[in-house]
Amino acid sequence: MMKEILTFLSQLRENNNREWFQAHKEEYDRLRPIFIEKVKQLINRISQFDDEIAGLDAKSCLYRIYRDIRFSPDKTPYKTYMSAYIAKGGRKSLRAGYYFHLEPGGSMLSGGAWCPEPKLLKALRQAIYDNYDELQEIVGKRQFKSLYQFWTSETLKIVPRPFPRDCEQAEWLKRKDYVVVSHKDDSFFDAPDWIEKAAHEFQIMKPFNDFFNYTIDEVYDL
């Protein structure tokens, strides 16, 4: 089933235009519910170790395949991947959660705090500065290090005020987001137990999300 979705997405990548998509809309309409069902199964499995996820509607976690091209130089109308953000509140959640991204040659499992607004980013940096030992213990565990790498994104050139420039937390404080990612080959989804494997990897990620959600909940009074 997942192979069918990946094949469709590969074809869409080669024919990213409205004419082709409309001609294959029936196929997309057949495959989308399959993806939703897999997200639902993933939600059910994650809820076994994260009770905040229990009962979450899979559709509320899904992103649209239609691209917003209003302010983008890339005018291709469709995303060439299917994705879902599994967190309390669904895809619009402000909290750190579990991101599932299915794309030919570019699939990933990811999570953390993505593009926090300035007020939250300031609070997250303070939390890192104040609780650095706790964070280091989380990301320093063997399983975590073997699975996840930090998402490469824009960083500051110097440590922001009011933090000391030479502090041990310096590289963390320069970051503008706190996201980890585990890239997956297409073959990962051939395994009959891939949902179980993905959920296990998300379980290893959970303490990382919890660390940031403590501050996120305080800032937004969630």
Side-chain angles (χ1 to χ4, degrees), residues 4-12 20 24 27-28 31:
E4 282 189 83
I5 297 175
L6 287 165
T7 298
F8 175 83
L9 293 171
S10 293
Q11 294 171 347
L12 178 58
W20 185 91
H24 295 80
E27 183 179 4
Y28 171 73
L31 294 173

Side-chain angles (χ1 to χ4, degrees), residues 161-196:
R161 296 179 179 178
F163 306 105
R165 290 193 177 186
D166 60 349
C167 64
E168 60 179 339
Q169 303 93 332
E171 294 308 310
W172 283 86
L173 300 177
K174 292 177 186 177
R175 298 189 66 90
K176 294 185 177 181
D177 55 53
Y178 300 100
V179 172
V180 292
V181 59
S182 178
H183 297 284
K184 299 300 179 191
D185 293 333
D186 293 354
S187 59
F188 178 84
F189 304 99
D190 291 338
D193 61 344
W194 75 263
I195 289 177
E196 181 67 26

